[in-house]
Amino acid sequence: MKGLDILDWVVISAYFVVLLGVAWWVIKQKQKNTEDYFLAGRNIGWFMVGASIFASNIGSEHVVGLAGNGAGDKMPLLIYELHAWIVLMLGWVFLPFYARSGVFTMPEFLEKRFDARSRWVLSLVSLIAYILTKVSVTIYAGGVVVSALLGIPFWIGAVATVALTGLYTILGGMRAVVYTETIQAIVLVMGAGILSFMGLEEVGGWGALKETIGVDYFNMWRPNSDPDYPWLPLFLTSTIVGIWYWCTDQVIVQRVLTAKSIKAGRRGSIFGALLKLMPVFLFLIPGVVALGLKMQGKLDWSSPDEAFPVLMSNLLPSGLRGLVAAGLLAALMSSLASVFNSCSTLFTLDIYKKLKPNKPEEELVKTGRTATFFVVGLGLLWIPVITRLSDGLYEYLQNVQAYISPPITAVFLLGIFYKRINANGAIATLVGGLIIGFSKLSLEILKSSFSEDSFLYALADINWLVFAAYYFALCVAIAVIVSMFYPAPSAQQLAGLTFGTVTAHQKKENKSSYNFWDIMASVIVVIIVVYIMISFSTLSL
């Protein structure tokens, strides 16, 4: 890999000057209450909501890992980048219920729809999962990227980036996160877009790339007999995980809750869905290009995860290399800031405020800042564990969401679509489902210690995509069956929180929050998703 030169450093420095300038401007604004600090006063426009959704999703490990998938014959995983249609569901299906309920967090919504038990379970599970996966893995991957790009030791890169991101997140709250994420999204798209264009030019164009690698390589749909990525379980499980991640997870949903209205939130989700289509072209294609250049003898790398940084350092001229490096740093910082702020929100409003309900607003804001500080610290403390497990951790993290998401997805979907589901059905699904999921995960970890002809080995060996699809169906069954043994929720409790209890006035209000162009933009997103799915198949190639 080529190192960065003076012009690259000038570009990176300019990026940080602009970023910190915006963060400082936001920090100077007064943030006295929880709505200001955690939801930016619910006054953010659609453009920044959409950019924030995109930037929250794309981390440095996402960029490097997706390019690695493109270079490492894992094209079926492309389906996780075609979830733009699920982002639309956030704005069209879920947001009106969240906005009407006036909630700050997803556990708070479950309490309004069911009871406090569901809120406690989801809060604790989300916090533990964030710290042990999202925070620590993003820090680890970011440290690797920063040390490789800037030529500094891993720990210095990791701690410096975390300290900077944590500082403006703690001081500026959600408003600082949203404003800086907008800048970061623009930088990331520009940098990666230039790399994709120049990479295709270097390899000889799309036709030459297909000829070099072979058309079969681009097929994302494999037969159901495939041991790794059978197409039907892949589609079902990716959809279940997608609904959990895009429509019920605090990190993403908190972005649309900052919007000044349902209209702005929905348009933000539509814009976020359009941006979500970009990773296919911005990160996956550069990985495939890197493979093509390697096969043509123009590039060399040993691991697929090296594809993006090697392509960037060898292909881009001075200055542009700095821009893409700044984009990778932006991806790291935006993801970290999002998780830091969401962890702080969950702890302060779903745990601390429940334990001490009479605390004033200013005290809650201070608690939120303190919580962010501790999340940063816990994430750093977990890094030594990741450095020892890193060889298999990335693949493990691809699977772990399939074991967390089914019970949560089932409870939210049924909670909104089926008014007969009650609090007992919800808590049985959350607790029972999570026990099943973590049991399967534990069996996978211990798989090598079982005899190959034993029942436990057979259970551990079930493909994670196949297991997750059946697991979701089981969670739905638990929710429905348990609910039938207990009385239905009262009409007062369900008012406005399910499709069956939306009033005529609420329907009219929702209808006035969108127009023909919102519908057309959404239809275009769906058409593009279908087109990409067809394009990456042997039928079209």
Side-chain angles (χ1 to χ4, degrees):
M1 283 181 61
K2 295 178 182 176
L4 301 177
D5 60 21
I6 293 174
L7 186 56
D8 294 324
W9 281 105
V10 168
V11 172
I12 292 172
S13 300
Y15 158 72
F16 275 105
V17 167
V18 172
L19 188 73
L20 293 176
V22 171
W24 178 248
W25 174 75
V26 173
I27 289 166
K28 287 173 68 178
Q29 315 299 311
K30 297 295 182 184
Q31 295 176 325
K32 293 183 178 179
N33 60 45
T34 50
E35 188 166 76
D36 271 345
Y37 187 77
F38 295 114
L39 293 181
R42 296 189 195 261
N43 196 36
I44 300 298
W46 66 266
F47 181 87
M48 282 192 289
V49 170
S52 181
I53 288 172
F54 175 73
S56 298
N57 172 237
I58 304 298
S60 51
E61 81 287 353
H62 188 115
V63 174
V64 174
L66 187 54
N69 287 342
D73 197 21
K74 293 186 177 180
M75 202 60 71
L77 294 178
L78 166 64
I79 197 166
Y80 282 90
E81 299 312 310
L82 298 178
H83 280 170
W85 66 277
I86 300 179
V87 184
L88 294 176
M89 285 180 63
L90 171 61
W92 287 101
V93 178
F94 290 86
L95 175 61
F97 295 101
Y98 296 154
R100 275 195 295 268
S101 65
V103 299
F104 283 68
T105 69
M106 294 300 91
E108 186 183 1
F109 179 79
L110 285 193
E111 181 178 37
K112 289 203 170 189
R113 173 60 179 87
F114 300 112
D115 64 8
R117 294 174 300 169
S118 299
R119 180 175 186 169
W120 276 105
V121 171
L122 186 58
S123 300
L124 293 171
V125 168
S126 298
L127 274 174
I128 293 168
Y130 286 166
I131 292 168
L132 300 188
T133 57
K134 290 188 178 183
V135 175
S136 50
V137 172
T138 305
I139 293 172
Y140 173 75
V144 171
V145 169
V146 171
S147 62
L149 287 175
L150 309 186
I152 58 178
F154 165 78
W155 275 103
I156 294 177
V159 173
T161 311
V162 169
L164 182 62
T165 310
L167 183 65
Y168 74 71
T169 307
I170 290 168
L171 296 176
M174 186 62 176
R175 197 182 301 272
V177 173
V178 171
Y179 276 76
T180 53
E181 281 180 337
T182 302
I183 298 170
Q184 289 157 343
I186 293 169
V187 171
L188 184 60
V189 168
M190 284 175 58
I194 292 168
L195 182 60
S196 295
F197 178 77
M198 294 186 69
L200 280 171
E201 285 274 306
E202 182 68 19
V203 84
W206 185 249
L209 181 62
K210 287 196 292 184
E211 188 178 333
T212 301
I213 297 177
V215 293
D216 288 341
Y217 186 88
F218 292 85
N219 184 25
M220 63 177 284
W221 304 107
R222 297 183 181 177
N224 276 328
S225 57
D226 186 87
D228 297 316
Y229 307 111
W231 78 267
L232 184 56
L234 176 65
F235 179 77
L236 293 173
T237 296
S238 65
T239 301
I240 294 161
V241 172
I243 293 172
W244 165 73
Y245 181 86
W246 292 104
C247 302
T248 74
D249 189 54
Q250 183 67 25
V251 172
I252 298 299
V253 177
Q254 195 167 338
R255 271 81 212 133
V256 295
L257 294 181
T258 64
K260 60 181 71 174
S261 63
I262 291 181
K263 178 184 285 188
R266 182 180 288 112
R267 286 183 177 171
S269 71
I270 295 170
F271 181 46
L274 282 166
L275 292 176
K276 180 58 187 166
L277 294 168
M278 289 185 170
V280 176
F281 308 101
L282 297 179
F283 311 126
L284 185 98
I285 296 302
V288 181
V289 166
L291 177 62
L293 290 173
K294 183 180 182 180
M295 294 174 72
Q296 291 176 357
K298 298 178 180 178
L299 204 65
D300 186 47
W301 40 265
S302 55
S303 165
D305 284 345
E306 293 176 5
F308 193 93
V310 169
L311 184 70
M312 179 201 79
S313 64
N314 285 276
L315 206 62
L316 296 180
S318 177
L320 281 178
R321 204 161 45 233
L323 179 67
V324 178
L328 283 173
L329 295 172
L332 162 66
M333 295 175 70
S334 61
S335 291
L336 275 180
S338 300
V339 179
F340 286 165
N341 187 258
S342 294
C343 285
S344 167
T345 306
L346 283 172
F347 176 79
T348 305
L349 301 182
D350 286 318
I351 295 176
Y352 184 79
K353 191 177 180 181
K354 291 292 285 184
L355 296 173
K356 298 190 176 182
N358 297 319
K359 286 289 181 182
E361 291 280 298
E362 288 188 20
E363 182 69 25
L364 292 175
V365 171
K366 287 179 183 176
T367 302
R369 291 193 168 109
T370 305
T372 306
F373 177 79
F374 277 105
V375 167
V376 172
L378 289 170
L380 284 170
L381 289 173
W382 194 250
I383 289 179
V385 179
I386 293 178
T387 55
R388 288 197 295 271
L389 299 175
S390 58
D391 286 345
L393 186 66
Y394 190 80
E395 186 175 353
Y396 155 75
L397 287 172
Q398 295 284 335
N399 301 2
V400 77
Q401 290 182 336
Y403 299 126
I404 294 173
S405 58
I408 300 171
T409 300
V411 166
F412 272 89
L413 279 176
L414 290 171
I416 287 175
F417 282 98
Y418 189 26
K419 62 183 181 181
R420 182 62 181 81
I421 300 297
N422 55 34
N424 288 324
I427 196 66
T429 305
L430 287 173
V431 175
L434 289 168
I435 289 172
I436 293 168
F438 281 109
S439 297
K440 174 63 164 71
L441 189 59
S442 301
L443 287 174
E444 279 194 17
I445 294 169
L446 300 170
K447 178 180 170 181
S448 60
S449 63
F450 302 135
S451 169
E452 289 194 15
D453 57 355
S454 68
F455 172 74
L456 289 178
Y457 183 90
L459 202 58
D461 199 44
I462 297 173
N463 180 287
W464 60 280
L465 293 167
V466 175
F467 176 83
Y470 284 111
Y471 172 29
F472 175 72
L474 179 60
C475 289
V476 171
I478 291 171
V480 173
I481 293 169
V482 173
S483 292
M484 294 304 167
F485 284 95
Y486 297 92
S490 66
Q492 185 179 359
Q493 182 184 354
L494 296 178
L497 298 180
T498 70
F499 275 101
T501 58
V502 176
T503 64
H505 173 72
Q506 288 169 336
K507 287 178 182 177
K508 185 179 178 182
E509 193 177 50
N510 185 52
K511 196 170 182 180
S512 67
S513 67
Y514 61 86
N515 58 29
F516 171 79
W517 297 110
D518 296 319
I519 296 171
M520 280 304 299
S522 301
V523 170
I524 289 169
V525 169
V526 174
I527 290 171
I528 294 172
V529 169
V530 173
Y531 174 76
I532 294 172
M533 285 183 172
I534 294 172
S535 296
F536 282 86
S537 71
T538 51
L539 292 175
S540 61
L541 292 163

